[in-house]
Amino acid sequence: MNSREVQNKLPVNDMIKRFTLEGNNRLEKQYEGTKEAIKQIAGEKMKTFMGTADVGLGEEERERLVVIIAGSMMQSFSLGYGLGKVEGIVDRDIYL
């Protein structure tokens, strides 16, 4: 029995959780460049927010906003990674 058959026997929601965690781990190791790009984009989004909202933020507030934005982007990356792997295994689209 190959690994594809074994994974097919898991419920889809368990596969999504498993592969989402795998995506998160890969973001920490294999995709370190992607993680750094996410942080850079989050910094740019923070600056855009300040300009659009016409608000000034202190250093600590700016850093906190960047962390929140980057964290959300990293969660989205990991979930997308997990969903993509599950879709490849079950050979159908997964909708949340």
Side-chain angles (χ1 to χ4, degrees):
M1 187 180 295
N2 66 32
S3 67
R4 187 178 179 123
E5 291 172 355
V6 170
Q7 291 171 343
N8 259 338
K9 294 184 187 247
L10 289 174
V12 171
N13 60 336
D14 289 341
M15 283 194 290
I16 291 171
K17 288 178 187 176
R18 179 176 162 202
F19 290 135
T20 298
L21 288 173
E22 180 183 318
N24 191 43
N25 289 334
R26 286 185 180 231
L27 192 58
E28 292 294 323
K29 297 175 183 155
Q30 183 179 357
Y31 299 131
E32 183 66 30
T34 301
K35 184 177 178 179
E36 291 305 314
I38 286 172
K39 289 178 184 177
Q40 183 177 355
I41 292 168
E44 294 168 4
K45 295 294 181 187
M46 179 271 302
K47 290 176 185 174
T48 301
F49 168 77
M50 287 177 59
T52 302
D54 194 26
V55 296
L57 299 174
E59 182 67 28
E60 185 178 325
E61 293 167 318
R62 288 193 303 265
E63 289 175 14
R64 188 174 304 136
L65 183 56
V66 168
V67 167
I68 290 169
I69 294 169
S72 298
M73 293 172 71
M74 288 180 211
Q75 285 179 340
S76 296
F77 172 90
S78 297
L79 183 58
Y81 177 92
L83 289 174
K85 284 198 74 163
V86 170
E87 286 178 342
I89 290 171
V90 298
D91 200 29
R92 63 183 169 97
D93 292 340
I94 305 291
Y95 298 99
L96 298 178

